[in-house]
Amino acid sequence: MSSYDPERSIGFLLHDVSRLLRKRFDQRARTIGLSRAQWSVLAHLSRNEGANQTALADILEIEPITLVHQLDRLEAAGWIERRLDPNDRRVRLLYLKDLGRTILGKLQKLGIETKAEAVIGLSATEQDALIDALTKIKTNLSERESASQTGETEEDNPATTRTRRKRRAAR
């Protein structure tokens, strides 16, 4: 009989925690008049200013036409601007405007409040350990994602080989 417990499955837990964080943040963001799609676009744009619409759609993992509709609304609200790419007049580059930065500051405050609510009962050391563990998981999966996109096999990946050697040595 398997000892698999979905309540202790890292995949289920990460999904559930992520969903609950987004839901709680959504509730807070609605108080300043933002939808999930809008705050997600603003947050990702703030980390990728100067990206074109196609690149931002890829980052958000949405169809470009879906992003265009969101950008239209954000631009009409005065939060972002589209600029012509000096190297290709067909391409528009995306930037936050001052009002968008102000809204982003409010979003960051809401994020801090949501995080504080989520980590009640965890010491600073436990919070750091959690961040370190999640960062390692992200790195592991990002390396595999990158390798799969380049056609590299696990055997070709030096990180995988080092990890395998460490596991064998620990036995």
Side-chain angles (χ1 to χ4, degrees), residues 23 25-36 39 110:
K23 187 175 178 179
F25 187 85
D26 284 346
Q27 291 169 343
R28 292 175 186 273
R30 279 195 298 269
T31 66
I32 59 172
L34 287 173
S35 69
R36 175 180 296 172
W39 65 253
L110 297 177

Side-chain angles (χ1 to χ4, degrees), residues 113-149:
E113 292 169 1
T114 304
K115 179 217 170 216
E117 195 174 84
V119 297
I120 291 172
L122 294 178
S123 69
T125 302
E126 289 171 321
Q127 290 177 46
D128 288 343
L130 175 62
I131 295 296
D132 291 345
L134 290 172
T135 300
K136 182 62 179 169
I137 290 169
K138 179 181 176 184
T139 299
N140 290 343
L141 294 174
S142 294
E143 286 174 356
R144 292 196 179 38
E145 170 83 13
S146 182
S148 70
Q149 289 177 355

